Amino acid sequence: YQALRQDLERGELPAPLGLMRAARAPVLAALARDLKTSLLVVTGTVGRAQKLTQSLGDWCGGTVPILRFPEPLTLFYDRAPWTDEIIVGRLRVLSALYNRREEGPEEAGLIIVSSARALMQRTLPLHQYRLSIRLVRLGQALDLERTLHRWAGLGYEPVSVVEAPGQFSHRGGIIDIYPPDDELPVRIELWGNEIDSIRRFDPGTQRSRERVEEVTIAPAREALPRHGPRVAERIEAMLSQDLPEDLAVELEEHHQGLEQAAPFPGLEFYLPIFYSEPATLLDYLPPGGLVIADDRWELADNWAELEEEALDLKASVATADALPPDYPLPYATWDQWSEATADRPVLTLGHGREESVSRLSVCFISGPRFGGQLKPVMDHIDMAHVQGDRVVVISRQARRLADVWS
């Protein structure tokens, strides 16, 4: 492990490590702690990303932040809306990485776990994210009408009572807003056009809490509604065609939202049109961050399958005239990902095309199976003690075993 760590600190990339899956979480936890940098860990499947995230939580024990970059539940080329949990979860990852880029050299570890599906999804370009951020300070002059219009253009939904991330409300000289990357919303009180007070508040009870000097207002959607009006023209052209009734009704609702530069369910479908060069999560990773593939060729195979599914769906949607003219690719291809990582080496935890063995992988071996029989377990532990080995037993029945062995 120390040799691997030193290689990575020197910028040298070892061959695929060939680690068994049970060994990968503890190795990742150690790397995040020791390298003190951001690790972007990419898995082939959603299920593997979920399991690895859970395992990392056990191994890190709260010492290293772990975030999972969630994947939309919709298919590419599908107009179905993303859930609030997906929208907020993705924005929190973007915010965490953006803040690390802006703060300079990293001083602590961070682990981001992403499936191929989540990583393929195009996102808000980094420069657009940077231009969208505003710092609201105590004593600052604030143009109320302009500010509320701007927040709507960043994806914040106007509501009567703020209860969830991505919402804002306005009552007289009081403005509530809940940035997606904050744990609690803030209540801004105005005296005339000057900010007189900024407080956190509990979204459940609506009771104000501690005062703060400032709050950062970051985007509330990856697809910024402020770009909607110029896309509305394309949808208007589609509405002039002879469309199925359900599609025409849906497009009319979308057209209104786009024209008004306001957030609406299904807005993310238009993200590829909003930006001439949409980004991926890789664009947000700090310069010193490390990209890690769980199993590189499993990742490549699953990526290829997702691309094939997307092409099939595009063909069926295009046949039904349900795509805007010249609709761009909503995802990054494997070739684009490979090109993007050409100057940023990728560490592979598992195997390459061929089975790999490393100095680290031989430190981990699968133990014998005991079929629930206690005596063979005890004999094995006794032998390990005789050989001077340290034994750590992990079991769902740890308390019972401890009582028996005591």
Side-chain angles (χ1 to χ4, degrees):
Y1 170 77
Q2 294 302 332
L4 169 65
R5 173 185 170 183
Q6 291 167 8
D7 285 346
L8 294 174
E9 288 175 338
R10 290 192 297 263
E12 299 176 6
L13 189 70
L17 298 180
L19 293 173
M20 58 190 297
R21 286 201 164 185
R24 297 177 193 178
V27 169
L28 287 171
L31 287 175
R33 178 197 65 206
D34 295 337
L35 296 179
K36 294 181 171 55
T37 190
S38 299
L39 307 183
L40 172 56
V41 185
V42 188
T43 69
T45 66
V46 175
R48 174 59 180 160
Q50 293 170 336
K51 290 180 180 178
L52 185 57
T53 302
Q54 182 178 2
S55 186
L56 283 167
D58 296 333
W59 282 100
C60 292
T63 60
V64 175
I66 303 161
L67 297 174
R68 196 170 94 74
F69 192 51
E71 50 285 313
L73 302 179
T74 58
L75 301 172
F76 295 118
Y77 300 104
D78 189 351
R79 278 194 174 81
W82 295 5
T83 65
D84 292 341
E85 291 78 13
I86 298 297
I87 292 171
V88 172
R90 289 175 63 90
L91 287 170
R92 284 182 172 166
V93 171
L94 297 183
S95 174
L97 291 177
Y98 172 81
N99 290 336
R100 284 178 169 247
R101 288 183 66 97
E102 297 301 302
E103 291 167 2
E106 298 184 83
E107 298 179 354
L110 169 68
I111 302 177
I112 306 294
V113 181
S114 172
S115 67
R117 172 63 182 89
L119 191 62
M120 289 174 70
Q121 180 68 53
R122 294 293 195 177
T123 188
L124 172 66
L126 180 62
H127 71 278
Q128 289 270 359
Y129 190 96
R130 182 181 292 112
L131 291 173
S132 301
I133 289 179
R134 287 293 183 274
L135 194 63
V136 177
R137 294 189 178 94
L138 199 63
Q140 175 183 327
L142 188 144
D143 184 322
L144 182 58
E145 183 177 350
R146 183 178 179 182
T147 297
L148 297 181
H149 178 73
R150 175 180 175 78
W151 288 353
L154 291 179
Y156 287 89
E157 178 188 5
V159 294
S160 57
V161 179
V162 169
E163 297 177 318
Q167 297 177 342
F168 76 93
S169 69
H170 166 227
R171 305 179 304 282
I174 298 176
I175 314 170
D176 292 347
I177 187 167
Y178 199 157
D181 54 342
D182 280 353
E183 292 299 322
L184 289 173
V186 294
R187 179 160 292 146
I188 302 170
E189 297 186 24
L190 301 177
W191 181 262
N193 67 341
E194 184 177 302
I195 297 176
D196 184 58
S197 168
I198 306 176
R199 289 177 178 269
R200 300 284 181 193
F201 70 90
D202 187 322
T205 64
Q206 296 293 304
R207 292 181 179 176
S208 296
R209 296 176 57 166
E210 70 275 8
R211 290 178 178 270
V212 294
E213 294 294 316
E214 60 186 32
V215 61
T216 300
I217 309 300
R221 302 289 278 265
E222 291 173 69
L224 298 178
R226 68 186 183 200
H227 297 293
R230 60 182 175 81
V231 178
E233 297 176 4
R234 294 198 191 188
I235 307 306
E236 187 173 8
M238 291 180 66
L239 287 169
S240 63
Q241 303 173 13
D242 185 17
L243 299 173
E245 183 178 355
D246 56 341
L247 178 59
V249 171
E250 184 180 39
L251 286 178
E252 181 58 43
E253 293 175 352
H254 289 190
H255 178 260
Q256 292 178 11
L258 292 168
E259 200 169 41
Q260 296 168 8
F264 59 88
L267 175 65
E268 282 69 27
F269 174 79
Y270 300 96
L271 187 151
I273 311 178
F274 282 0
Y275 314 117
S276 57
E277 294 183 2
T280 68
L281 184 61
L282 185 63
D283 295 290
Y284 284 75
L285 191 66
L290 180 62
V291 181
I292 300 176
D294 187 36
D295 278 300
R296 184 171 178 82
W297 294 112
E298 179 185 76
L299 175 62
D301 291 343
N302 280 281
W303 200 301
E305 288 181 13
L306 289 167
E307 285 194 55
E308 289 178 12
E309 291 176 5
L311 290 174
D312 290 342
L313 181 59
K314 179 183 179 181
S316 63
V317 172
T319 301
D321 295 325
L323 275 183
D326 302 321
Y327 186 80
L329 277 181
Y331 57 87
T333 66
W334 177 255
D335 288 342
Q336 290 170 333
W337 164 257
S338 299
E339 182 179 349
T341 55
D343 298 326
R344 189 193 282 267
V346 179
L347 174 65
T348 300
L349 296 177
H351 303 283
R353 280 297 186 190
E354 304 296 332
E355 188 168 329
S356 306
V357 177
S358 66
R359 293 170 59 190
L360 184 59
S361 67
V362 297
C363 297
F364 298 94
I365 58 172
S366 298
R369 297 181 178 273
F370 301 105
Q373 300 179 52
L374 190 57
K375 186 176 185 309
V377 175
M378 294 303 300
D379 291 342
H380 181 75
I381 292 175
D382 288 340
M383 181 60 69
H385 279 160
V386 169
Q387 295 173 349
D389 292 339
R390 181 186 180 193
V391 179
V392 178
V393 178
I394 301 173
S395 171
R396 294 179 180 175
Q397 301 183 37
R399 186 185 301 274
R400 175 175 172 271
L401 291 178
D403 291 341
V404 170
W405 292 342
S406 63

